[in-house]
Amino acid sequence: MIQTSSLLINSFREITVNHPLWSHEFLIRCRAGNLFLPDVQVLAVQMYKFSKEFNRILASILSCCEDESSQLVILENLFDEMGQGDITQSHPELFRQFTRALGIDDVTLAALPTAPETSALIETYLQMPHKYGYLAALGAVCYASEGIVSSLYTQLYKGIVGAAPLPKESLIFFEVHIDVDDSHAAKLAAVIEPRITMNEEDIKVRLAIVEAMDARVQFFNGIQRQISKHNLSADSWIFRDA
């Protein structure tokens, strides 16, 4: 028998709250304010590579979704990601304001390779609607992305601002996600939970959430690997084998 909506919400959230992600060495360093500028540059490049694909992730779920009310919520989320029609306020552009402040110009940013762990995180999300169905894919976005972003980005923000004096306007991407994504998560949850009517759907959502969280851990493993491997300076941006 399927759980009630409130129990579903709590059980899905418990998966993310209790996940090993939060004890990752890189996040511990962020919380302690123990990052250096080259660490932030490595993080920024790979975060951008994932963040700029988030629109495609939402679109891939939309393409597999036949429910019109669910389509509307996905479209609203996508519209926000695209700056609500103002390309200068799109989330990829807001992130590029951050990378520019770190001394990484747009041409360099585009040319730098995507780390294998980052590619795996992107592919994990892109494949979910085909692997588990649109509902479980939405669950991964809701609980393992939008639902953790405020907490995750708050920790990253602390590490970033402790590593380098950056103008406030360059950090708008983080401030937007810390403030806004809880509402995105709530809207997605309102779509997902009433539609989980069988245990099989519940299981798929849980599998998708765990898979997304595990992929996020690997993403930060990739960040740590690159930091360990490359002794970068602010003007040394050559990743031949990221």
Side-chain angles (χ1 to χ4, degrees), residues 133-151:
Y134 92 88
L135 200 61
L138 275 185
V141 169
C142 176
Y143 294 99
S145 186
E146 305 280 23
I148 69 167
V149 157
S150 181
S151 177

Side-chain angles (χ1 to χ4, degrees), residues 1-74:
M1 184 176 179
I2 202 69
Q3 300 178 73
T4 64
S5 179
S6 60
L7 288 175
L8 279 174
I9 294 171
N10 290 334
S11 63
F12 293 156
R13 286 177 179 165
E14 283 174 5
I15 295 172
T16 63
V17 169
N18 297 321
H19 195 273
L21 170 68
W22 307 108
S23 60
H24 195 283
E25 179 185 351
F26 187 80
L27 293 184
I28 292 173
R29 290 182 61 201
C30 287
R31 292 194 294 268
N34 190 27
L35 294 186
F36 301 96
L37 178 59
D39 305 338
V40 175
Q41 291 170 322
V42 170
L43 171 69
V45 170
Q46 296 307 317
M47 277 191 70
Y48 174 74
K49 299 296 183 179
F50 174 73
S51 295
K52 76 182 182 66
E53 299 297 333
F54 196 66
N55 295 339
R56 289 180 60 222
I57 290 167
L58 291 174
S60 70
I61 300 172
L62 181 62
S63 71
C64 296
C65 176
E66 297 180 355
D67 181 82
E68 292 180 9
S69 56
S70 300
Q71 290 172 358
L72 181 59
V73 174
I74 299 168

Side-chain angles (χ1 to χ4, degrees), residues 151-162:
S151 177
L152 179 61
Y153 281 24
T154 296
Q155 295 177 43
L156 295 177
Y157 187 98
K158 184 173 183 179
I160 289 165
V161 298

Side-chain angles (χ1 to χ4, degrees), residues 91-131:
H91 291 187
E93 174 56 27
L94 294 181
F95 201 98
R96 287 190 291 270
Q97 292 179 24
F98 171 55
T99 50
R100 291 172 199 139
L102 291 173
I104 311 167
D105 63 77
D106 292 358
V107 174
T108 301
L109 181 63
L112 290 169
T114 304
E117 297 89 349
T118 306
S119 294
L121 177 61
I122 294 166
E123 286 303 311
T124 294
Y125 274 98
L126 287 174
Q127 293 302 315
M128 277 189 182
H130 309 287
K131 185 175 181 180

Side-chain angles (χ1 to χ4, degrees), residues 61-233:
I61 300 172
L62 181 62
S63 71
C64 296
C65 176
E66 297 180 355
D67 181 82
E68 292 180 9
S69 56
S70 300
Q71 290 172 358
L72 181 59
V73 174
I74 299 168
L75 282 169
E76 288 175 347
N77 198 333
L78 186 54
F79 191 55
D80 285 345
E81 293 288 331
M82 292 303 297
Q84 297 185 343
D86 182 354
I87 195 66
T88 66
Q89 297 301 309
S90 71
H91 291 187
E93 174 56 27
L94 294 181
F95 201 98
R96 287 190 291 270
Q97 292 179 24
F98 171 55
T99 50
R100 291 172 199 139
L102 291 173
I104 311 167
D105 63 77
D106 292 358
V107 174
T108 301
L109 181 63
L112 290 169
T114 304
E117 297 89 349
T118 306
S119 294
L121 177 61
I122 294 166
E123 286 303 311
T124 294
Y125 274 98
L126 287 174
Q127 293 302 315
M128 277 189 182
H130 309 287
K131 185 175 181 180
Y132 296 118
Y134 92 88
L135 200 61
L138 275 185
V141 169
C142 176
Y143 294 99
S145 186
E146 305 280 23
I148 69 167
V149 157
S150 181
S151 177
L152 179 61
Y153 281 24
T154 296
Q155 295 177 43
L156 295 177
Y157 187 98
K158 184 173 183 179
I160 289 165
V161 298
L166 297 172
K168 185 174 177 60
E169 59 269 20
S170 71
L171 298 167
I172 291 174
F173 174 89
F174 293 91
E175 293 173 357
V176 165
H177 285 76
I178 289 169
D179 293 338
V180 170
D181 279 32
D182 279 347
S183 66
H184 284 169
K187 289 178 181 179
L188 290 172
V191 167
I192 295 162
E193 287 140 15
R195 290 168 175 78
I196 301 177
T197 58
M198 297 184 298
N199 284 327
E200 181 182 357
E201 293 165 339
D202 179 36
I203 291 169
K204 286 181 178 179
V205 172
R206 293 174 189 280
L207 289 172
I209 293 171
V210 170
E211 191 169 321
M213 294 294 290
D214 289 348
R216 187 85 63 167
V217 170
Q218 292 305 313
F219 169 83
F220 285 113
N221 286 346
I223 300 299
Q224 284 287 83
R225 177 181 60 79
Q226 290 180 79
I227 289 171
S228 298
K229 187 171 184 179
H230 300 280
N231 184 15
L232 301 174
S233 64

